Amino acid sequence: MDGPQDEFAIRVRDLVVGFGRQTVLDHLSLDVRRGEILGLVGASGGGKSVLMRTIIGLIPRRSGTIEVMGQSASGHGRSAATAWGILFQQGALFSSLTVRQNVQFPLRENLVLSQELMDEIAIAKLEMVGLRAEDADKYPAELSGGMTKRVALARALALDPPILFLDEPTSGLDPIAAGDFDVLIKTLQRTLELTVFMVTHDLASLTTVCDRVAALADGKIVAIGPMRELLQSEHPWVRAYFHGKRSQMLQHEMR
Amino acid sequence: MNHEPLLLATPSGDELKLRPEGPWTAANVVTLETLSRSVGADVDRSRAVTLDMSGVSALDTLGAWVLEKLSRRAALSGRSAEFVGVADHFSGLMDEVRQVNRHTPAPAAAPNPVLARLGDLGKSTVGAREDITIFLQMLGALFMAVAGVLRRPRSLRLTSLVYQLYRIGWQAIPIVALITFLIGAIIAQQGFFHFRRFGAESYTVDMVGILVLRELGVLIVAIMVAGRSGSAYTAELGSMKMREEIDALSTMGLDPVDVLILPRVAALVIALPILTFIGSIAALYGGGLVAQFYGDMGPAIYIARLHEAISVTHFEVGILKAPFMALVIGIVACSEGLRVKGSAESLGRQTTTSVVKSIFLVIVLDGLFAVFFASIGM
């Protein structure tokens, strides 16, 4: 079954997305390989989140094709829930449900299984993302930022989707929590053999966890490749992004 | 390739060999649960259990957990259980699953029902006291704000006040007029229908006039304003609280009571008497229309009867109550808004509480006023 088309988890071809007169993504093409962690960088308001939301079907596209796991993606139906898990920037946990119920929600809606097994799976997922069984009965309002992200990750992984979308997973976390979260994503990606599509500004996560990095500028992917290759890129925006003062400091430590 | 998961059980002596096959994934969870249940008894009977994983074509957390549970069931009673032939790409997941669900949190002790009931009673008593405190604090803060405005009239937020007046006064006129018109008409119809039996039809006008001017006009309008504007205040202030806008105001050295709450409550206190007046007139008009078309009483007679039946006192009794009711609605709505916590659910709960509480207090206040006016002979 490992044909050439199976090499890619997500294939985006000639994607055009715009609002009103404004074109945000202009004939954008991007391939995400199976089992890799792809980081997407771009200017704030440059269309990173729009690209992610278009792939998962939240924003309609003007033209172009999107294939997810070899199948043309069309909107977001029930089947989408098993195809991918999404970690929203603010977690997007349902505030009226406990942590346990949040993680069980996708299971309950998509599968028929006993309450006992559902409880065990929920706890298993929570422990896999580094939380304890005691946290299961808390409400989202009682959680810290890092815990919220972990619960949201557990919920995104509830159905063991092959693809995981992360929207700025480390934003709003302190460097220690962000580092732990990066390690967690890397570990889970290895154990569950996930393909991870990560929108991020965090240069540390780009260098430590991402296999490849794609740079989005002017509505197109202007550079894609491992971090080392991107650092060599001649594109002016990519140079400005990775060779600005803030970036220089981080890269210094990398060498 | 297998598309249905299987679980082959081969007992050999005391030993049980289990061989899961096919895709052990969440999509097949119904089959997986049935399979694992069907071999449960066999597992309990055998001394040693071996799980041969070589036939598994796909595995996810759920499938791995179901298998791990079988092996734990065997291990629980001190028998040996082991996995063999775990493919390389599943070993990480199997190792991970072996770590989870190892400890169960101590279940919370079930509370004594009598004690729990008593606890609830105590909590609501304390809650009621807290409600009163918050109400009085808000009232005090408002008086301080008013005093501040009297000392420096320029500090009044005039733009905000006018805007709130427009929203809760001007924009409320059509619906207030419509509802009170209908209420007036209904009362008049009922009066004519029932008083006709003993020939007291002309007293319908007295009833409509007194009832509308003293009680119903102000009560109906206050309840509508509590539902329409009080809930809006709570939701606005609550979402501002959630987005830390109120904290931002405080850090800029501004008092949220001055900036947000005083203009809102003041607008209510100004608007409610006006709306009450409009509502009462609309109700009397509705009564007049019913008198003409249902009670065969022309407008001239209706107005003459009304003139005899009511005095300025009745009107005063009604309109005097309006500002106090507005104050209660405003204070409840604003203080409930400030009690909103982080979640969307709390915003909804506080808005409901605000409307329920302000309608309740408006009716209680109306009762107190009835006693008061009766005792001073108005």
Side-chain angles (χ1 to χ4, degrees):
Chain A
M1 263 187 49
D2 279 337
Q5 72 271 30
D6 274 1
E7 192 190 336
F8 297 110
I10 305 170
R11 303 197 78 174
V12 179
R13 285 278 161 275
D14 281 329
L15 182 69
V16 182
V17 176
F19 307 102
R21 283 190 189 164
Q22 186 195 8
T23 308
V24 181
L25 302 178
D26 181 17
H27 295 282
L28 176 145
S29 298
L30 175 68
D31 290 325
V32 184
R33 294 180 192 147
R34 270 193 191 199
E36 75 170 347
I37 302 186
L38 180 85
L40 181 66
V41 299
S44 299
K48 299 184 302 297
S49 294
V50 171
L51 175 58
M52 193 185 105
R53 288 171 155 261
T54 311
I55 297 175
I56 60 186
L58 290 174
I59 296 177
R61 55 183 188 255
R62 285 203 183 142
S63 66
T65 57
I66 298 171
E67 278 180 24
V68 176
M69 293 317 239
Q71 290 186 337
S72 170
S74 50
H76 41 96
R78 275 290 165 94
S79 60
T82 48
W84 51 57
I86 298 144
L87 172 66
F88 288 97
Q89 204 172 339
Q90 310 289 342
L93 296 176
F94 303 125
S95 53
S96 54
L97 303 180
T98 62
V99 164
R100 186 201 309 273
Q101 289 165 333
N102 260 291
V103 178
Q104 286 175 351
F105 191 81
L107 297 168
R108 198 187 295 275
E109 296 299 315
N110 288 283
L111 304 172
V112 183
L113 71 170
S114 64
Q115 185 63 42
E116 183 198 359
L117 185 58
M118 198 145 56
D119 284 341
E120 288 162 356
I121 296 289
I123 299 294
K125 297 283 175 187
L126 286 173
E127 290 184 2
M128 283 167 89
V129 299
L131 295 170
R132 293 174 311 145
E134 281 85 353
D135 300 322
D137 290 315
K138 289 183 178 161
Y139 280 91
E142 302 169 62
L143 302 176
S144 69
M147 283 167 84
T148 306
K149 297 243 178 189
R150 281 171 194 261
V151 176
L153 185 63
R155 187 180 70 178
L157 293 172
L159 290 166
D160 281 280
I163 306 176
L164 182 62
F165 289 92
L166 308 172
D167 192 357
E168 308 218 3
T170 52
S171 76
L173 299 184
D174 67 77
I176 301 172
D180 289 350
F181 204 76
D182 281 343
V183 172
L184 173 67
I185 289 169
K186 190 81 186 168
T187 318
L188 287 174
Q189 187 258 344
R190 280 209 201 106
T191 35
L192 303 176
E193 299 181 310
L194 299 166
T195 305
V196 180
F197 182 98
M198 183 195 296
V199 172
T200 187
H201 277 304
D202 190 338
L203 288 160
S205 1
L206 287 172
T207 45
T208 52
V209 299
C210 291
D211 299 314
R212 289 197 305 159
V213 177
L216 177 67
D218 309 322
K220 287 190 172 67
I221 299 293
V222 292
I224 183 164
M227 193 64 179
R228 288 188 187 287
E229 278 179 32
L230 247 75
L231 292 174
Q232 313 298 324
S233 167
E234 291 300 316
H235 190 277
W237 185 85
V238 180
R239 277 195 70 79
Y241 191 94
F242 291 112
H243 297 277
K245 264 190 189 159
R246 289 172 63 105
S247 325
Q248 286 293 353
M249 273 178 352
L250 281 163
Q251 281 163 34
H252 211 71
E253 282 158 33
M254 246 182 78
R255 281 182 201 135
Chain B
M1 177 166 245
N2 258 328
H3 291 289
E4 275 287 299
L6 294 170
L7 185 60
L8 307 175
T10 22
S12 53
D14 282 348
E15 223 176 280
L16 179 71
K17 203 169 174 191
L18 292 172
R19 188 180 151 80
E21 279 184 5
W24 278 66
T25 54
N28 303 309
V29 60
V30 182
T31 326
L32 297 188
E33 278 207 88
T34 327
L35 286 175
S36 81
R37 224 173 284 136
S38 69
V39 299
D42 292 339
V43 169
D44 288 342
R45 241 179 283 126
S46 12
R47 293 260 303 278
V49 178
T50 317
L51 282 135
D52 179 3
M53 299 284 289
S54 52
V56 175
S57 63
L59 187 71
D60 65 8
T61 323
L62 195 143
W65 170 248
V66 172
L67 292 173
E68 167 68 13
K69 224 173 117 181
L70 277 179
S71 98
R72 276 193 203 172
R73 182 167 178 165
L76 200 66
S77 33
R79 290 156 303 173
S80 80
E82 61 170 339
F83 287 95
V84 295
V86 180
D88 276 349
H89 55 292
F90 296 146
S91 61
L93 181 59
M94 289 305 299
D95 289 344
E96 184 73 37
V97 167
R98 222 158 292 166
Q99 312 292 325
V100 301
N101 271 328
R102 280 289 176 197
H103 95 124
T104 26
N112 182 336
V114 179
L115 280 183
R117 209 50 69 74
L118 280 175
D120 287 346
L121 188 69
K123 266 183 213 157
S124 50
T125 312
V126 173
R129 206 187 65 186
E130 193 188 348
D131 282 354
I132 295 171
T133 320
I134 287 176
F135 186 90
L136 291 177
Q137 277 171 351
M138 184 58 84
L139 191 67
L142 270 175
F143 272 118
M144 290 303 288
V146 171
V149 167
L150 289 180
R151 239 184 306 129
R152 285 171 294 116
R154 295 194 135 216
S155 68
L156 179 68
R157 312 258 152 188
L158 197 62
T159 322
S160 173
L161 176 65
V162 171
Y163 172 68
Q164 297 297 342
L165 266 177
Y166 168 75
R167 257 183 12 143
I168 60 145
W170 181 254
Q171 290 189 337
I173 288 175
I175 187 70
V176 163
L178 176 67
I179 302 270
T180 45
F181 168 82
L182 291 175
I183 296 273
I186 292 164
I187 292 172
Q189 187 271 335
Q190 288 294 308
F192 280 113
F193 183 76
H194 291 284
F195 287 176
R196 187 176 285 159
R197 276 190 257 168
F198 38 93
E201 281 157 288
S202 57
Y203 288 105
T204 303
V205 184
D206 299 57
M207 183 184 76
V208 170
I210 293 172
L211 207 53
V212 162
L213 289 181
R214 285 185 78 105
E215 294 295 331
L216 275 186
V218 66
L219 205 55
I220 297 283
V221 172
I223 288 172
M224 281 183 63
V225 166
R228 187 184 176 276
S229 311
S231 61
Y233 282 0
T234 308
E236 271 170 21
L237 291 172
S239 67
M240 288 175 86
K241 177 91 187 296
M242 276 163 79
R243 292 140 148 272
E244 299 181 322
E245 289 175 46
I246 289 176
D247 295 340
L249 263 181
S250 311
T251 56
M252 290 176 201
L254 293 167
D255 187 356
V257 176
D258 286 342
V259 181
L260 300 172
I261 295 174
L262 182 63
R264 284 181 165 78
V265 176
L268 264 184
V269 171
I270 297 170
L272 195 60
I274 300 175
L275 288 175
T276 302
F277 175 75
I278 294 172
S280 304
I281 300 302
L284 292 180
Y285 186 74
L289 278 189
V290 167
Q292 181 167 12
F293 292 111
Y294 182 81
D296 297 323
M297 182 190 279
I301 307 171
Y302 180 78
I303 290 173
R305 291 279 322 158
L306 208 57
H307 201 78
E308 279 173 37
I310 60 176
S311 65
V312 174
T313 314
H314 295 309
F315 175 72
E316 279 171 359
V317 165
I319 217 84
L320 273 175
K321 290 190 277 195
F324 293 95
M325 289 180 174
L327 192 65
V328 166
I329 295 169
I331 288 176
V332 169
C334 292
S335 51
E336 290 302 322
L338 294 183
R339 287 168 95 179
V340 168
K341 306 234 164 40
S343 69
E345 211 192 6
S346 128
L347 180 61
R349 194 170 45 230
Q350 240 46 56
T351 309
T352 311
T353 313
S354 156
V355 174
V356 171
K357 211 188 268 179
S358 47
I359 290 178
F360 169 74
L361 286 179
V362 158
I363 290 172
V364 169
L365 192 65
D366 192 56
L368 292 179
F369 268 119
V371 175
F372 173 74
F373 284 126
S375 60
I376 65 166
M378 258 176 104

